[in-house]
Amino acid sequence: METMEMHLLEGRKVLSYTTFGSYWTKEQAIRTEAFEVRSARGESVPVQTEIAARWPDGSVKWARHTADARRMGDRVTVFPSEKEEQEGLRIAEHDEDWEINAGRLTLHVPRPGTSCLARKITWEGEERVDAVAPVFRLVRVDGDTTHTYRDDVCITEVDFEEQGPLACTVRYAGWYVASEERMPFVIRMTLSHDTEDIRFVHTFLFHGEEARDFLGGMGLRFFTRLKGEAYNRHVKLMTDAGVFHEPAALMESRIPRTGPGMKEKQMRGSMLAFVPGTDGEEVARTVSADVPVWNRYTLTQLTCRSFRIRKQTKPNMCQITAFEGVHAPGAMAVCGETGGILVGMRDFWQRYPSSLEVEGLGVENTACTAWFYAPEAEPYDFRHYDDRAYPRTNYEGFDFVGASADGIATTSECTLKVCTSLPEDEALNAFSQAVQKSAVYVATPEVYHARGAFGVWSLPEKNSPTGRMLENMIDSAVAWYQGQIKQRSWYGLFDYGDFMHSYDPVRHTWKYDIGGCAWQNTELVPTYWLWYQFLRTGREDVFSLAEAMSRHASETDLYHFGPMKGIGSRHNVRHWGCSCKEPRVSMAGHHRPMFYLTGDRRIGEVLSEVADAADSLGSLRYYVDNADGKLHARTGPDWSSFVSDWMTAYERTLDETYREKILRGIEGISRAPMRLGSGPSFAFDPATGEMTYAGEYTRDIHLTLCMGAVQVWIETAGMLDNALLRDMLIAYGRDYLMTDEERTAVYGALVEGKTYPMNYVAAALAAYAAKKTGDSELAGRAWDTLLMTCPGRYRQEGLVGEVFAVRENGEALDELPWVSTNYISQWCVNVIVALELIGDSLPALEEAERLMDKQVDVAK
């Protein structure tokens, strides 16, 4: 029986249900739609499955599973089965709404046309939440006039994306400024059978005018009814110093004197109860009527290095500061005598400015808000940093300003949990950790590697001195960027997850303000580097890096609607700032691992958006050739990115249209005199995928390979079992590492004026060619170029920074004067692939060190 062993990723926490993916090879030929999950104790765990991807013959490639992680434990076995799960979760349709019965938890989903996501959330028959609704603030500046739009929200679509016996996902779409049909949103609500928690994934899409439309606040509000007196209403907020806890009315009185016992009982979280007619009841009644009731609490993370808790009695009164700290985890509990709710926000401080708020704590109607953009913050400014472009001096795309935020997005996550009593501090902390580090089940690196998931990559090479040296370089690169994220504060709602592009050693800072040298925006595929590194090591910290980058880049670095739908923006000071819009920024390959490993539905939606990105190419005038007036695309990174999009769409849908587009492109390129080495610009028909040879261009051609093309083409050749593409890859891998004299001898005038810089970006392709043909000389050339450009030539220890300053708190700031993310990403990716293909040709350490001493310029 075919099985897949999976385990809970170390450092990840269990809350309730989770979703994960299992991978099956073409040879395993899995045809069933049903699977079974069995725990390490041998117990069958109910599971809900859908097929995420298929092989061309229709057999299962990736399956998406949803199951209760509390029952799964640390390890499970997944295997095909004909077993049908018993019905548990039920949906009943009514005239005005749908009623979802998830066992002990029920709720109602209104039909489109309201501003409400859910109503009447009950647990074991008792209503806990009256309603859940999105909230939004748009600040519009017209000359000297400023107007704030508040909650002009309308839900226009309600779809049940998933309906099963164990889990249900409702997808809502609508407008935040409904009166103008501006600022669209997509919200997903997922609930599971017999669990207290509901997960929300909130996507905001900017559709406005940057010059006048500013984001003033957005979030989700939970209206709840707490029971009991104000002194039995409690708020708990997680901080970096433990739990901040206060009742709405603190029972401390001088006259009549209450003594310490009553307050101590409150602070233990106990509910105060008094025997009617006694002195104690009289004192409580007198004191509770004569102490301030703190009805509003806010915990706001305004920067990545500071948060504060403030409280207020009434709307027209001042707010006073109750606590301050550095990093707030982003979880709170709000409860009365019979319970209440917990709210947790993922990446709370990392995606600042964010806030948790409770209003009306001491009165009948209580509202708790998870603010993904805190209204206390300065309204977010989408404008560009200048009104002109700097293509020559600052490495920007073209000589016109092409900055546009219209169509970009950001996605935030939060979790609601109902409770029947005020949680202990340890329980709130556990909830917070489970929201921040939600459960992820994966196979071991050895399993993914043996099955060939995501193409060609290697397990860590620890058996030889040279291999250990290379692995240390890769590990130190990961550690270096982890440190830079913290030191350089690469955080914020629209920034978190990305790296910076180039370093400025003179100013001791990354080039955050220099055009195309600021944010990376997936250039030279750090996404592939991080996902490969996770697959080969199984490290949770690497998974988290890759996950954050995919979440950011899949939203903010590309356009989700409009004429440029499916196309991304080249690296810039603003993520949407460069005038050069390219498909390689947005291609599906960047984020396929996150989708298939976690089953994330928002990532899946983005992959669907980019499936037809080629159709948007005509909206970009620089893709139209001035000589023939036809649309042109380079073999790489344009056509290669479309292949990534089409390959992903094909395996998800088996729509032959996408496969045929890939095959037509392969056939057209094969007719060029140097095949993949020709052009690189070809006449391109997005409707058919045809690529027609249009002559040779005298320019650097490294861009054909360094944006993920090698990885896309190798995986596509394997998936489609396409011998023609394999042959073209072998030829190009051989040709790129030839000397100029060798290429001229083969191709003559065809290569006149062409340059082949940055040889290390072609090392993986050369390794592929060497492996397929048994060419040991080519394998040697591949290792030569990788070792001559190895980071160890700068410092033997790898990417270990040099301290240039120390903060007042003792935190050291370090730098690598020579570093660039382009270089590190591509070098690491090429080494990871080369180790798999030609690891047996790895030179001895003495030879490797000799090659490193040659000091080759990595940009040439």
Side-chain angles (χ1 to χ4, degrees):
M1 181 174 62
E2 302 290 354
T3 65
M4 189 169 189
E5 304 294 326
M6 308 194 75
H7 64 276
L8 179 65
L9 193 57
E10 185 178 359
R12 291 297 177 127
K13 307 297 181 182
V14 169
L15 180 60
S16 59
Y17 278 70
T18 189
T19 300
F20 59 98
S22 62
Y23 179 77
W24 308 91
T25 66
K26 192 186 314 183
E27 292 71 26
Q28 288 173 306
I30 306 301
R31 300 284 177 181
T32 181
E33 300 285 320
F35 286 77
E36 188 170 346
V37 172
R38 195 170 295 277
S39 72
R41 299 182 299 274
E43 299 173 354
S44 180
V45 180
V47 61
Q48 183 172 306
T49 297
E50 61 185 274
I51 308 306
R54 297 181 185 274
W55 292 102
D57 65 359
S59 61
V60 176
K61 186 175 185 179
W62 285 97
R64 181 185 186 273
H65 311 289
T66 299
D68 191 341
R70 296 168 298 186
R71 299 179 62 176
M72 292 168 67
D74 291 338
R75 296 184 177 276
V76 293
T77 302
V78 181
F79 53 90
S81 169
E82 297 301 325
K83 181 180 177 181
E84 294 291 335
E85 295 299 338
Q86 296 296 315
E87 183 179 17
L89 190 148
R90 299 187 302 277
I91 301 172
E93 186 171 0
H94 305 298
D95 290 342
E96 296 183 352
D97 60 18
W98 293 268
E99 182 181 1
I100 302 177
N101 185 331
R104 289 181 289 174
L105 187 143
T106 65
L107 58 79
H108 291 255
V109 175
R111 290 188 179 275
T114 74
S115 61
C116 184
L117 301 173
R119 294 192 181 111
K120 299 179 181 178
I121 300 178
T122 69
W123 177 256
E124 296 182 334
E126 182 174 345
E127 187 173 314
R128 297 291 174 179
V129 178
D130 288 347
V132 182
V135 289
F136 189 78
R137 306 283 185 270
L138 174 68
V139 178
R140 175 162 291 167
V141 179
D142 285 319
D144 296 330
T145 303
T146 299
H147 176 71
T148 300
Y149 290 76
R150 296 175 180 271
D151 303 333
D152 180 18
V153 180
C154 183
I155 296 169
T156 58
E157 300 176 24
V158 178
D159 298 306
F160 287 80
E161 278 191 325
E162 180 178 22
Q163 300 182 57
L166 300 178
C168 168
T169 296
V170 186
R171 179 188 182 276
Y172 307 84
W175 303 101
Y176 270 135
V177 186
S179 58
E180 299 179 4
E181 294 193 345
R182 294 272 188 169
M183 307 302 173
F185 63 82
V186 173
I187 298 172
R188 287 175 169 81
M189 178 181 73
T190 299
L191 59 157
S192 305
H193 185 249
D194 255 3
T195 58
E196 305 100 321
D197 55 278
I198 304 174
R199 180 170 178 254
F200 295 87
V201 178
H202 172 280
T203 301
F204 162 73
L205 301 102
F206 181 81
H207 180 38
E209 298 178 29
E210 295 97 327
R212 65 172 187 163
D213 292 335
F214 299 79
L215 176 61
M218 66 179 179
L220 295 177
R221 181 163 290 158
F222 307 95
F223 297 91
T224 184
R225 294 179 184 270
L226 303 181
K227 293 184 178 180
E229 301 293 334
Y231 53 72
N232 280 339
R233 310 283 190 89
H234 293 254
V235 60
K236 285 189 172 185
L237 295 160
M238 285 300 304
T239 78
D240 51 8
V243 176
F244 172 91
H245 171 209
E246 285 192 359
L250 186 65
M251 296 294 277
E252 177 171 347
S253 171
R254 188 166 161 269
I255 301 173
R257 190 172 298 278
T258 54
M262 198 177 294
K263 182 173 65 173
E264 288 173 355
K265 193 173 183 180
Q266 283 184 297
M267 295 308 294
R268 287 197 300 270
S270 301
M271 298 297 141
L272 300 182
F274 304 97
V275 178
T278 64
D279 291 344
E281 184 201 24
E282 179 64 26
V283 169
R285 186 167 55 249
T286 302
V287 170
S288 64
D290 201 29
V291 294
V293 177
W294 300 96
N295 277 300
R296 180 170 180 249
Y297 283 80
T298 59
L299 184 159
T300 304
Q301 186 89 38
L302 284 177
T303 76
C304 63
R305 295 179 180 269
S306 65
F307 73 86
R308 67 180 176 183
I309 297 173
R310 296 197 294 175
K311 64 182 187 178
Q312 184 182 34
T313 57
K314 300 178 182 68
N316 58 340
M317 298 291 105
C318 75
Q319 298 183 60
I320 66 171
T321 299
F323 189 82
E324 294 183 340
V326 180
H327 294 152
M332 73 174 175
V334 177
C335 293
E337 291 177 356
T338 60
I341 63 173
L342 285 69
V343 178
M345 295 171 60
R346 192 167 188 207
D347 296 328
F348 182 81
W349 65 266
Q350 294 93 332
R351 294 172 60 83
Y352 77 93
S354 48
S355 181
L356 287 166
E357 177 185 37
V358 54
E359 298 175 283
L361 180 60
V363 298
E364 182 180 4
N365 297 316
T366 305
C368 303
T369 307
W371 289 102
F372 304 124
Y373 193 89
E376 295 94 333
E378 179 182 345
Y380 190 84
D381 190 343
F382 293 92
R383 293 175 297 178
H384 198 43
Y385 73 92
D386 207 339
D387 59 2
R388 54 155 296 188
Y390 300 91
R392 284 162 289 281
T393 57
N394 279 11
Y395 190 38
E396 294 191 317
F398 299 106
D399 58 3
F400 59 89
V401 176
S404 174
D406 194 52
I408 63 97
T410 186
T411 288
S412 307
E413 304 172 47
C414 82
T415 299
L416 167 72
K417 181 177 181 179
V418 298
C419 59
T420 56
S421 62
L422 182 68
E424 298 289 339
D425 291 358
E426 294 78 9
L428 180 59
N429 183 46
F431 169 74
S432 176
Q433 290 186 38
V435 171
Q436 301 307 316
K437 293 287 187 179
S438 55
V440 174
Y441 284 83
V442 294
T444 63
E446 290 76 14
V447 168
Y448 289 129
H449 179 260
R451 295 190 179 190
F454 301 113
V456 175
W457 47 271
S458 59
L459 294 172
E461 167 52 53
K462 302 287 188 179
N463 296 322
S464 68
T466 305
R468 289 191 291 272
M469 181 271 293
L470 293 173
E471 295 295 340
N472 178 63
M473 296 297 153
I474 299 172
D475 288 341
S476 69
V478 171
W480 162 254
Y481 278 92
Q482 288 172 324
Q484 288 298 289
I485 291 169
K486 296 175 182 177
Q487 288 182 26
R488 310 294 178 155
S489 300
W490 294 344
Y491 300 111
L493 181 63
F494 291 95
D495 297 329
Y496 177 58
D498 206 356
F499 294 167
M500 282 276 171
H501 185 283
S502 302
Y503 193 74
D504 182 349
V506 177
R507 294 189 295 167
H508 303 290
T509 186
W510 291 81
K511 296 181 180 180
Y512 66 95
D513 58 348
I514 297 182
C517 300
W519 289 113
Q520 188 72 15
N521 281 35
T522 75
E523 180 165 76
L524 272 65
V525 294
T527 44
Y528 273 83
W529 162 36
L530 295 178
W531 282 118
Y532 276 174
Q533 187 64 0
F534 164 70
L535 289 168
R536 65 201 301 264
T537 65
R539 286 171 46 184
E540 190 279 333
D541 61 332
V542 179
F543 182 95
S544 292
L545 272 180
E547 182 185 33
M549 183 172 286
S550 274
R551 178 65 82 198
H552 161 82
S554 67
E555 300 289 4
T556 307
D557 295 350
L558 66 91
Y559 295 99
H560 300 268
F561 57 82
M564 296 184 289
K565 180 181 177 180
I567 304 293
S569 283
R570 181 177 172 271
H571 41 100
N572 197 258
V573 173
R574 305 306 305 267
H575 292 284
W576 48 88
C578 189
S579 54
C580 186
K581 314 298 182 182
E582 298 188 64
R584 51 94 170 174
V585 181
S586 55
M587 71 173 179
H590 294 298
H591 317 303
R592 287 172 71 245
M594 182 171 172
F595 175 64
Y596 289 129
L597 293 174
T598 70
D600 187 282
R601 289 193 178 276
R602 174 56 188 168
I603 293 291
E605 186 170 41
V606 173
L607 297 184
S608 296
E609 290 172 351
V610 304
D612 297 313
D615 295 343
S616 299
L617 207 63
S619 67
L620 305 171
R621 67 187 193 221
Y622 41 84
Y623 279 100
V624 177
D625 189 89
N626 292 329
D628 59 16
K630 295 180 179 179
L631 195 64
H632 277 231
R634 296 162 292 179
T635 51
D638 304 323
W639 180 73
S640 59
S641 298
F642 296 140
V643 170
S644 175
D645 300 336
W646 295 332
M647 175 186 70
T648 305
Y650 177 58
E651 67 186 1
R652 294 181 67 198
T653 66
L654 291 190
D655 183 340
E656 286 295 323
T657 303
Y658 294 110
R659 177 175 169 273
E660 289 166 3
K661 285 184 178 183
I662 296 172
L663 295 179
R664 287 194 191 100
I666 293 171
E667 291 165 2
I669 294 169
S670 73
R671 290 191 288 269
M674 296 191 294
R675 298 195 281 184
L676 283 172
S678 290
S681 185
F682 281 61
F684 173 60
D685 184 350
T688 64
E690 291 180 10
M691 293 279 280
T692 304
Y693 180 60
E696 299 300 324
Y697 292 75
T698 55
R699 62 181 67 170
D700 296 345
I701 65 167
H702 62 290
L703 293 178
T704 59
L705 299 181
C706 65
M707 306 291 186
V710 175
Q711 291 68 46
V712 169
W713 289 334
I714 289 176
E715 188 172 1
T716 301
M719 173 183 166
L720 300 182
D721 194 20
N722 190 281
L724 182 55
L725 180 55
R726 286 196 191 100
D727 289 345
M728 292 198 298
L729 291 172
I730 291 169
Y732 199 21
R734 177 200 64 216
D735 294 348
Y736 202 103
L737 291 194
M738 284 181 175
T739 64
D740 291 340
E741 292 76 15
E742 289 170 336
R743 272 191 297 270
T744 300
V746 175
Y747 296 111
L750 287 170
V751 294
E752 184 178 345
K754 280 187 181 291
T755 60
Y756 295 75
M758 297 172 62
N759 277 356
Y760 65 97
V761 307
L765 187 57
Y768 180 85
K771 176 71 173 180
K772 292 295 184 182
T773 62
D775 188 335
S776 59
E777 181 184 357
L778 183 55
R781 288 189 180 190
W783 281 124
D784 285 354
T785 188
L786 286 172
L787 290 167
M788 285 190 288
T789 55
C790 176
R793 66 210 180 101
Y794 296 105
R795 189 162 185 167
Q796 190 174 8
E797 298 88 347
L799 278 76
V800 179
E802 305 163 7
V803 175
F804 68 89
V806 179
R807 295 187 193 272
E808 185 180 19
N809 64 2
E811 178 189 5
L813 301 180
D814 57 11
E815 66 181 0
L816 294 172
W818 46 268
V819 76
S820 82
T821 306
N822 276 3
Y823 160 46
I824 296 300
S825 299
Q826 269 299 294
W827 187 85
C828 288
V829 166
N830 278 269
V831 169
I832 288 169
V833 175
L835 283 170
E836 173 65 13
L837 295 170
I838 54 172
D840 54 358
S841 301
L842 200 60
L845 184 60
E846 182 178 353
E847 173 63 9
E849 290 174 342
R850 185 188 68 80
L851 290 166
M852 284 190 286
D853 285 341
K854 291 194 173 184
Q855 296 291 307
V856 173
D857 186 347
V858 297
K860 295 181 179 179

